[in-house]
Amino acid sequence: QHKFWETQPVGQFKDVGNSGLPEGPIEDPTPLSEVKQEPYNLPSLYEWVTCDMDNEETCAEVYNLLTNNYVEDDENMFRFNYSKEFLGWALRPPGYFKSWHIGVKVRASKKLVAFIAGVPARIRVRNEVVSMAEINFLCVHKKLRSKRLAPVMIKEVTRRVHLENIWQAAYTAGVVLPTPITTCQYWHRSLNPKKLIDVGFSRLGARMTMSRTIKLYKLPDSTVTSGFRKMELRDVPAVTRLLREYLAQFVVAPDFDENDVEHWLLPREDVVDSYLVESPETHEVTDFCSFYALPSSILGNQNYSILKAAYSYYNVSTKTPLLRLMNDALIVAKKKDYDVFNALDVMENEAFLKELKFGPGDGQLHYYLYNYRLQNAVKPSELGLVLL
Ligand code: YNC
Ligand code: MG
């Protein structure tokens, strides 16, 4: 069934429900001197490259590969179109390793035909904070699919992660592999229903007209909560405290410090946006919400080429009810001309999805850990981790 994944230190389907297996690392680390020192072999027409994401041309090559070959929906109507600025942000967090940004080129033409990337992260699983790699942007050019290139790329990134003395990883995928720690649902909140219907992202509901639909999803022009404002650099300590306290309740969550918060949550134009509520009386930061910008190319539509989507990231409510906080997030996203606001059913998101008129999508997202066994699958609501 899974000729490659069966060889890897991941939860195997045959072990599901076997309560005799302990939680934690599946394999012990080996001495670094025993880690394979040379790259895995590629078919001879191809060569490994390390992608320097500081370099604009390299960044553009990766961007072009992904724009034309990365994840599509089941009906091939939309394809993720991560921006260059987004890739620069996603791949260069504090302490990142350039050697984990791995490309495959055609030897003769130097054309980039495959990519995989990792970034370091501290992820807490129950009471243990584990140094991990977050693996993302695995992509093989459409013309090179089903040639077993993906397993070589995964082994190569694993080797380079091991060389940094890191032995665990976290990743998400739309496909089922051995074995998800949880399976999440995407929910979508229409901000520009007319465009979403025109491009086939959503359909007019039963007994609905376009004008009734537009009215249904209408949002006020300005936010409702007093003290609601954009996050600034000076807010990093307060936001870090708020977030650390909040994420402590989940089974799996990032262990963010101030450097992480500055990188991952400080607003960056058209990449990531964060807002908070500062109490007008005490000037205390009591609530926080954030989303990232991930547009999709619209494939084969005459009128539109880009779907502007915001994705819910980390949200914390202590004073402002979560429902009201997220409604304000929708209002700012609408103001910034996003067409749709997406959220997974992770953390406490279920508490606002239906009420704020999100509808369930058909896409599922499976979460995985590499070389770390969890005794039982967790519920989406026990997950405090959002990967890009
Ligand atoms: C996938 N998404 O099952 P078996 S998500 C992992 N993640 O192996 P081939 C995947 N494995 O089942 P193709 C996978 N998709 O025989 C497929 N596989 O054991 C497995 N799509 O390889 C698959 N990006 O090369 C099978 O397949 C084997 O040519 C087949 O290439 C696959 O970034 C792919 O969806 C996905 O570009 C590259 O279809 C290609 O089809 C493609 O014959 C469109 O591969 C884009 C797309 C995936 C987005 C993502 C997370 C990746 C996680 C990788 C695993 C990381 C493990 C941890 C490593 C560090 C460890 C440490 C320490
Ligand atoms: Mg292949």
Side-chain angles (χ1 to χ4, degrees):
Q1 269 318 4
H2 290 287
K3 274 281 129 59
F4 168 65
W5 280 109
E6 281 169 12
T7 69
Q8 298 297 299
V10 294
Q12 297 295 333
F13 292 144
K14 67 171 171 49
D15 297 330
V16 171
N18 180 347
S19 56
L21 299 169
E23 282 211 351
I26 296 170
E27 288 178 356
D28 288 332
T30 60
L32 289 188
S33 58
E34 287 173 26
V35 177
K36 187 168 142 57
Q37 295 296 307
E38 41 324 300
Y40 283 88
N41 288 325
L42 280 173
S44 58
L45 289 176
Y46 305 100
E47 64 187 14
W48 296 112
V49 293
T50 294
C51 297
D52 177 1
M53 298 303 290
D54 294 329
N55 181 289
E56 292 219 14
E57 287 93 273
T58 308
C59 198
E61 285 181 305
V62 172
Y63 168 80
N64 288 327
L65 174 73
L66 296 178
T67 296
N68 294 310
N69 301 278
Y70 201 48
V71 177
E72 300 180 8
D73 65 303
D74 291 338
E75 277 131 39
N76 312 102
M77 295 172 70
F78 309 98
R79 189 188 305 126
F80 283 149
N81 184 16
Y82 289 89
S83 70
K84 288 173 208 164
E85 296 71 31
F86 191 111
L87 294 172
W89 169 67
L91 297 181
R92 292 179 306 169
Y96 79 91
F97 302 99
K98 188 159 57 172
S99 61
W100 294 5
H101 303 157
I102 307 172
V104 173
K105 285 191 172 179
V106 176
R107 255 184 221 284
S109 64
K110 306 297 175 204
K111 181 187 158 79
L112 184 71
V113 292
F115 186 72
I116 189 168
V119 293
R122 289 180 319 282
I123 309 243
R124 184 182 47 74
V125 184
R126 298 194 210 278
N127 297 320
E128 306 280 355
V129 177
V130 185
S131 264
M132 297 200 193
E134 291 176 351
I135 306 297
N136 202 349
F137 306 111
L138 167 60
C139 183
V140 168
H141 193 286
K142 288 184 179 228
K143 296 216 164 125
L144 294 178
R145 297 279 169 87
S146 308
K147 297 175 186 297
R148 311 299 298 182
L149 205 52
V152 188
M153 301 186 66
I154 294 167
K155 284 191 281 188
E156 181 60 13
V157 76
T158 301
R159 189 184 71 81
R160 296 189 191 192
V161 170
H162 287 169
L163 286 172
E164 302 299 339
N165 201 20
I166 293 175
W167 305 87
Q168 271 74 34
Y171 50 103
T172 57
V175 294
V176 179
L177 306 164
T179 300
I181 58 164
T182 191
T183 295
C184 297
Q185 264 266 310
Y186 264 113
W187 290 69
H188 310 286
R189 206 294 185 181
S190 299
L191 300 175
N192 186 355
K194 167 118 182 17
K195 176 172 168 184
L196 294 178
I197 291 167
D198 285 350
V199 304
F201 183 89
S202 42
R203 278 186 297 180
L204 213 48
R207 285 168 263 95
M208 284 294 276
T209 61
M210 189 62 83
S211 58
R212 282 183 65 193
T213 305
I214 292 169
K215 200 171 151 205
L216 176 68
Y217 291 115
K218 204 164 171 50
L219 287 161
D221 274 325
S222 46
T223 57
V224 180
T225 309
S226 63
F228 187 91
R229 61 165 175 85
K230 210 177 175 86
M231 179 188 175
E232 298 172 21
L233 184 59
R234 63 182 164 103
D235 300 313
V236 165
V239 168
T240 305
R241 271 182 265 127
L242 199 61
L243 207 52
R244 288 187 64 83
E245 171 120 353
Y246 179 72
L247 291 176
Q249 69 186 292
F250 301 104
V251 175
V252 179
D255 181 61
F256 282 144
D257 65 16
E258 291 187 3
N259 285 324
D260 301 317
V261 167
E262 177 172 340
H263 179 82
W264 291 120
L265 294 163
L266 199 60
R268 294 182 186 224
E269 182 89 8
D270 296 325
V271 172
V272 62
D273 233 325
S274 298
Y275 291 82
L276 51 76
V277 182
E278 177 183 340
S279 160
E281 295 86 37
T282 66
H283 297 285
E284 204 191 344
V285 175
T286 56
D287 313 275
F288 175 81
C289 63
S290 59
F291 53 85
Y292 60 87
L294 168 48
S296 279
S297 305
I298 303 172
L299 310 175
N301 185 281
Q302 305 290 2
N303 301 316
Y304 297 100
S305 58
I306 287 284
L307 189 71
K308 254 194 106 177
Y311 285 74
S312 173
Y313 199 25
Y314 292 96
N315 310 304
V316 183
S317 108
T318 70
K319 286 261 158 52
T320 309
L322 187 59
L323 204 86
R324 192 143 67 95
L325 185 69
M326 294 311 294
N327 197 52
D328 278 341
L330 293 176
I331 292 167
V332 295
K334 172 68 189 171
K335 262 242 162 325
K336 293 184 174 228
D337 206 38
Y338 287 96
D339 299 313
V340 62
F341 192 102
N342 299 329
L344 290 163
D345 54 358
V346 296
M347 295 180 264
E348 297 183 289
N349 290 357
E350 291 225 281
F352 65 77
L353 291 170
K354 285 182 181 153
E355 195 111 31
L356 293 180
K357 300 173 187 164
F358 286 71
D362 34 27
Q364 293 204 316
L365 189 67
H366 309 281
Y367 276 75
Y368 302 94
L369 295 178
Y370 185 93
N371 195 23
Y372 203 94
R373 188 186 297 107
L374 224 67
Q375 202 42 273
N376 293 297
V378 297
K379 290 179 255 169
S381 60
E382 295 175 313
L383 196 69
L385 177 66
V386 177
L387 299 178
L388 304 171

